[in-house]
Amino acid sequence: MNDPAAFVTEAVRRIQEQVPGKTIIAASGGIDSTTAALLVERALGERARAIFVDTGLLRAGEVELVREFFRTSGLRFDVVPAADQFFRALDGVTEPEEKRRRIGETFIRLFESEADRFGTDRLVQGTIAPDWIESGGALRDTIKTHHNVGGVPKDSRLVLVEPLRDLYKDEVRQLAHHLGIPSPDRQPFPGPGLAVRVNGVVTPERVRRARVANAIVEQEVERAVAAKTMARPWQYFAVLLPTRTVGVTGDNRVYGEAVSVRIVESIDAMTATAMEVPRAVLKAISERITRELSGEVVRVLYDVTDKPPATIEWE
Ligand code: XMP
């Protein structure tokens, strides 16, 4: 992006054109939707309200972090607790595209009722170019339906406003930097949350395991980055696999779960390389996951696959 200030001026003008009255904003706390939210706040002021949905599928500490951040940025926002709705929608579902469809639909139904309450039919989303390209836009095959694209049911009366539609991640980061959003370089987190990092059935119990494992990977990688033993990766996380496996704790045989650790380098998420992580970092991750989830997770694997042929997330 050559000129973020010019982009902001033009985006504000277009948002004012697209939203004659009020709008709600789908705000996840991530860089994309936060950048979109701040543009809309500039364009509309109190005619805009950000909605942050607590899906029950978020990372450790995320709700508190996002709440605090929105408060300091001056955004008008509501936190909507909705874990029950999401777990009900995902009950028994294992197929990745079906998970995304159900999550997208649950989001949209929540946004519809929030829009009713606020007196609008407009919904701002932080959709960026790779979201719709990989969802089958631009005449491509659907690689995976990003929840903020494929999840909008045809019968929804919500009119979407997507101010970042044509931007790639690095451009959004420049814009976020320009708008003063803190840590614009933090790693992306998918809208469907930990549901796509819990392969197989999504239950509160399995999401808790994935949440603990994800926090451990984040802490150990960030520690190593701070100590300069490795470069900051594009993304670093854990995936709970849909398989069970045998382990031992003390004298006991345990039939537990397995976790795969994914640490990748990338420029824009369209391609990615599995990172060469120092052995000591992987060992610390493995030891902590099997200790802090003792009797639940008994095996930790490292994913060495690039994108392509794999994708960054497992689902
Ligand atoms: P994949 O797994 O397709 O991911 O290589 C590319 C980038 O997009 C993130 N991702 C998502 N982001 N909604 C999002 O907002 C989604 O449904 C979604 N799926 C994947 C992923 O974390 C990576 O940065």
Side-chain angles (χ1 to χ4, degrees):
M1 170 167 307
N2 297 330
D3 189 350
F7 182 92
V8 171
T9 308
E10 177 58 16
V12 163
R13 192 193 60 74
R14 288 189 52 191
I15 292 164
Q16 288 167 340
E17 213 171 77
Q18 289 171 344
V19 185
K22 299 204 262 179
T23 189
I24 58 166
I25 306 163
S28 68
I31 297 300
D32 304 344
S33 64
T34 304
T35 304
L38 289 190
L39 288 175
V40 171
E41 148 80 17
R42 273 199 191 192
L44 305 175
E46 64 184 19
R47 283 155 52 205
R49 187 153 197 100
I51 307 293
F52 173 62
V53 180
D54 179 359
T55 57
L57 304 167
L58 299 169
R59 285 171 294 184
E62 200 156 14
V63 177
E64 298 72 22
L65 203 76
V66 172
R67 200 191 277 275
E68 188 47 34
F69 165 61
F70 284 173
R71 222 195 315 268
T72 52
S73 70
L75 273 180
R76 295 162 183 85
F77 71 98
D78 284 320
V79 178
V80 178
D84 288 351
Q85 280 106 303
F86 281 90
F87 280 114
R88 220 176 303 127
L90 288 168
D91 188 27
V93 179
T94 56
E95 208 278 311
E97 281 295 292
E98 184 62 16
K99 278 185 192 172
R100 282 167 185 276
R101 204 190 59 70
R102 295 210 190 184
I103 290 169
E105 168 136 26
T106 308
F107 266 114
I108 287 296
R109 298 304 171 213
L110 282 164
F111 288 133
E112 280 174 344
S113 66
E114 292 301 315
D116 278 347
R117 279 193 333 134
F118 193 54
T120 180
D121 63 355
R122 305 291 146 125
L123 172 68
V124 174
Q125 289 195 325
T127 314
I128 65 173
D131 297 343
W132 58 265
I133 293 172
E134 295 205 336
S135 292
L139 305 178
R140 287 182 47 161
D141 215 25
T142 297
I143 296 169
K144 57 182 81 168
T145 306
H146 283 220
H147 84 96
N148 44 352
V149 180
V152 187
K154 293 201 172 43
D155 67 349
S156 177
R157 55 177 192 74
L158 290 176
V159 180
L160 291 184
V161 178
E162 298 177 316
L164 309 179
R165 242 191 106 71
D166 296 325
L167 301 187
Y168 283 82
K169 198 77 176 187
D170 51 330
E171 297 172 309
V172 178
R173 283 181 168 157
Q174 279 179 35
L175 193 56
H177 197 75
H178 175 77
L179 292 170
I181 293 173
S183 358
D185 297 329
R186 67 182 187 272
Q187 65 165 333
F189 183 63
L194 294 175
V196 293
R197 294 185 183 168
V198 170
N199 296 175
V201 287
V202 181
T203 60
E205 192 62 11
R206 299 195 75 222
V207 169
R208 181 184 57 75
R209 289 176 192 142
R211 182 176 290 123
V212 171
N214 267 271
I216 292 171
V217 173
E218 289 190 8
Q219 287 158 14
E220 292 304 323
V221 168
E222 278 157 21
R223 193 202 309 272
V225 170
K228 299 197 170 19
T229 31
M230 62 186 280
R232 176 173 292 283
W234 167 269
Q235 261 175 297
Y236 40 106
F237 56 89
V239 176
L240 193 66
L241 300 181
T243 185
R244 294 182 73 196
T245 169
V246 175
V248 281
T249 48
D251 291 335
N252 298 324
R253 172 189 186 277
V254 183
Y255 193 38
E257 298 214 67
V259 156
S260 174
V261 175
R262 183 96 168 117
I263 303 177
V264 297
E265 296 171 293
S266 177
I267 304 290
D268 57 8
M270 300 298 283
T271 60
T273 313
M275 199 164 176
E276 283 202 29
V277 179
R279 183 77 186 87
V281 177
L282 291 176
K283 194 169 163 58
I285 289 173
S286 162
E287 283 177 357
R288 277 192 63 195
I289 289 177
T290 50
R291 188 174 63 240
E292 292 174 36
L293 291 167
S294 175
E296 299 179 90
V297 172
V298 295
R299 203 173 290 266
V300 176
L301 316 173
Y302 185 65
D303 182 351
V304 297
T305 330
D306 295 338
K307 171 185 181 174
T311 52
I312 295 177
E313 305 287 345
W314 272 53
E315 294 196 333

